[in-house]
Amino acid sequence: MNTVVHDITVRHQKFSFDGLKKYYFSKNPFLTHYLSVLSLTFPEGERMFVHSVRAVRDRITDPILQKEVSAFIGQEAIHGNVHEAFNTYVQKNLGVKTQKYQKEIFNQIKQAKEKIPKKHLLAMTCGFEHLTAILGEHMLTHPEEFDDLDPIVRPMWFWHALEETEHKAVAFDVYQHVYHDEETRLRMMKIITRIFIARILMMTVMISLKDKNARFNVRKNAIAMKRLGSIVRSITPAYKAYFSPTFHPNDRDTTALTKAWRERLFPSGNEQMTAIYDKTS
């Protein structure tokens, strides 16, 4: 198990979304709905991740890993709260009705926490954490792809991407420390990948079908699918690396990347974001 102490900082972030445009990502309805649906999964998803790690925390004997678990729990808890506030804003102010899907997500995760064995739930968390980490790394590595993300909401996504990259190895290290069962870990990754992609796309399509600006805009929908496909192709090698028998999240060294983004987002060294990320900065 990795015994290096990583820089995982719990930052008590709050954001204001006042003035956010309805189509805040590239003025594209489908891309915007896709990002809103992704955010919709975070509050309960992050809480499930915390639950899965806490469930086996009493079996962790490594004090370094215990310290990283505390930071992981802190970051994930704040992510859930921030995205809950964002989701509420989208529902109330942008006219996007997602309550039905939010309830479905809550019920599904509630059942998962109650019925899925601890080992399998933690293995699922490892898989989800890898997905969010490689997506976060892509965002930090290619910020120009998100220049057309509304500056009101851009800081939230880059802050989240940074912290997912910072704590990418914690759940994996906990799983290896407690179980070290590769067959289960890999099987759960295959399952959640299929479920996650299907659910995200299904919810995005359903919301888009209720939005006349998305439903009848073939050109913008085609642009959206092309952009999403480009991201998928970009992260595919990192995704496949998860299935290597020698895989560890820190095989992809993102130390310099996270250091650069910490300095960009938090130049004073404080926990609060003191400089809002802007594409021109």
Side-chain angles (χ1 to χ4, degrees):
M1 193 204 75
N2 177 36
T3 57
V4 178
V5 179
H6 297 281
D7 192 349
I8 306 173
T9 303
V10 180
R11 306 173 181 93
H12 298 273
Q13 287 300 128
K14 292 183 179 180
F15 299 92
S16 172
F17 307 111
D18 292 342
L20 183 65
K21 297 179 179 65
K22 182 172 183 177
Y23 301 122
Y24 58 83
F25 191 9
S26 192
K27 299 179 182 179
N28 186 299
F30 193 91
L31 282 176
T32 297
H33 294 324
Y34 172 81
L35 215 53
S36 292
V37 165
L38 197 59
S39 177
L40 202 64
T41 68
F42 286 143
E44 292 305 320
E46 305 280 28
R47 289 160 192 159
M48 185 193 81
F49 304 159
V50 169
H51 170 84
S52 70
V53 171
R54 275 184 173 154
V56 299
R57 190 171 188 178
D58 61 343
R59 297 175 61 179
I60 299 173
T61 58
D62 186 326
I64 293 175
L65 186 53
Q66 281 283 6
K67 181 179 179 181
E68 292 191 344
V69 164
S70 294
F72 169 82
I73 289 172
Q75 284 191 340
E76 295 291 56
I78 296 168
H79 293 174
N81 292 339
V82 166
H83 280 277
E84 196 162 57
F86 175 69
N87 297 340
T88 299
Y89 184 91
V90 168
Q91 291 168 8
K92 290 184 176 180
N93 299 86
L94 302 187
V96 182
K97 305 302 181 184
T98 58
Q99 292 92 332
K100 171 187 174 183
Y101 304 111
Q102 198 165 14
K103 185 176 181 180
E104 286 179 5
I105 291 168
F106 174 83
N107 289 334
Q108 288 168 357
I109 292 178
K110 181 175 183 291
Q111 290 179 12
K113 290 192 291 188
E114 292 173 350
K115 297 181 180 180
I116 297 177
K118 292 179 182 179
K119 180 170 71 173
H120 292 69
L121 198 64
L122 185 56
M124 289 172 62
T125 294
C126 292
F128 278 120
E129 284 295 303
H130 184 62
L131 293 175
T132 56
I134 60 179
L135 284 169
E137 181 185 345
H138 177 87
M139 193 171 195
L140 300 180
T141 307
H142 304 283
E144 72 283 353
E145 294 183 12
F146 303 91
D147 282 350
D148 52 5
L149 187 58
D150 192 308
I152 289 176
V153 77
R154 190 185 300 136
M156 178 188 76
W157 285 102
F158 276 87
W159 156 77
H160 194 163
L162 169 64
E163 294 196 351
E164 289 299 328
T165 310
E166 284 179 340
H167 70 231
K168 64 181 180 178
V170 177
F172 183 91
D173 283 342
V174 171
Y175 181 85
Q176 296 297 76
H177 183 82
V178 176
Y179 297 114
H180 202 79
D181 178 353
E182 294 300 276
E183 182 181 352
T184 297
R185 178 177 69 84
L186 299 181
R187 186 169 73 253
M188 289 299 104
M189 179 55 136
K190 292 176 182 177
I191 291 171
I192 67 163
T193 300
R194 291 193 293 268
I195 293 174
F196 184 70
I197 292 174
R199 290 292 293 164
I200 293 294
L201 285 178
M202 184 275 292
M203 287 189 286
T204 303
V205 168
M206 294 303 293
I207 291 172
S208 296
L209 286 173
K210 295 178 181 179
D211 181 350
K212 64 180 181 180
N213 293 318
R215 186 168 66 241
F216 301 121
N217 202 322
V218 176
R219 184 181 66 84
K220 284 196 172 183
N221 288 345
I223 290 172
M225 294 307 295
K226 183 177 180 180
R227 287 187 64 170
L228 293 175
S230 177
I231 292 173
V232 170
R233 287 191 295 274
S234 178
I235 66 173
T236 294
Y239 170 80
K240 289 182 176 178
Y242 190 84
F243 296 91
S244 166
T246 60
F247 170 79
H248 189 279
N250 290 331
D251 291 342
R252 296 181 64 83
D253 187 358
T254 51
T255 306
L257 181 67
T258 54
K259 181 176 183 294
W261 275 96
R262 277 194 293 271
E263 292 172 352
R264 186 170 188 173
L265 296 175
F266 306 92
S268 68
N270 295 330
E271 291 181 6
Q272 281 294 313
M273 190 179 291
T274 55
I276 299 302
Y277 164 60
D278 186 86
K279 66 180 179 180
T280 60
S281 61

